[in-house]
Amino acid sequence: MANSPEVQLVVLTGYWSAPFEADAGDDAYVDPKHPVDDGVVAGIARMRAALIRTETILTHAGKKVIVLGDAPHFHLDPAREAVTAFMPVRSWVEHQLDPALALTGGIAPLPRVVTPARSIENAVHAAATTVGGITYASLYERFCTLQGCRFSRGAASLYVDSQHLSGVGGEFALNGLINVAPSTMADK
């Protein structure tokens, strides 16, 4: 990618906090030369250092780089909720069973949201701002307010499941960061 002249823009994104989630199992950021999980602090430092190395390689190769923080994910199925909003009977039944969802309007209340760990967000942001010329965007800040986190816009689900963005969600995430919609970029 760094040596490909046709690649001009690179978006670095991932589920940065995945190895630190409660259900991560044996996932960890480890040094390939020393593949031992040394804990959260060491793992965050490794992730940050690897991200800085990657950004440095890409920017020295003349690439424009955008780094995205973790997207919020949910204790509900956003795609199902987006569809449910347009099915009056299902919506009524669901909201009878769970009144907290009755006023969502495409926004999940914060108790239904798994927010990115602040330490991970800070490390990704710091890595992005260490190397000059990098654009950083917090997906949490793009999708969430103090009231909750957006999972749909009108009839369009921003997610395909509880944590993965849909094509529309990706465009929503990148809106204002690039001039062309991602679906259009793939055609060029």
Side-chain angles (χ1 to χ4, degrees), residues 41-52:
V41 173
I44 292 172
R46 280 193 197 93
M47 185 244 345
R48 182 175 180 262
L51 192 51
I52 290 170

Side-chain angles (χ1 to χ4, degrees), residues 12-20 27-32 36-56 67-70 116-131 136:
L12 298 175
T13 188
Y15 186 1
W16 307 112
S17 56
F20 309 108
D27 289 350
Y29 289 109
V30 296
D31 182 341
V36 175
D37 182 359
D38 293 329
V40 172
V41 173
I44 292 172
R46 280 193 197 93
M47 185 244 345
R48 182 175 180 262
L51 192 51
I52 290 170
R53 282 191 305 275
T54 302
E55 294 165 351
T56 301
V67 176
L68 301 177
D70 279 342
R118 194 61 135 166
S119 58
I120 306 301
E121 282 286 295
N122 290 343
V124 173
H125 182 259
T129 56
T130 297
V131 178
Y136 171 79

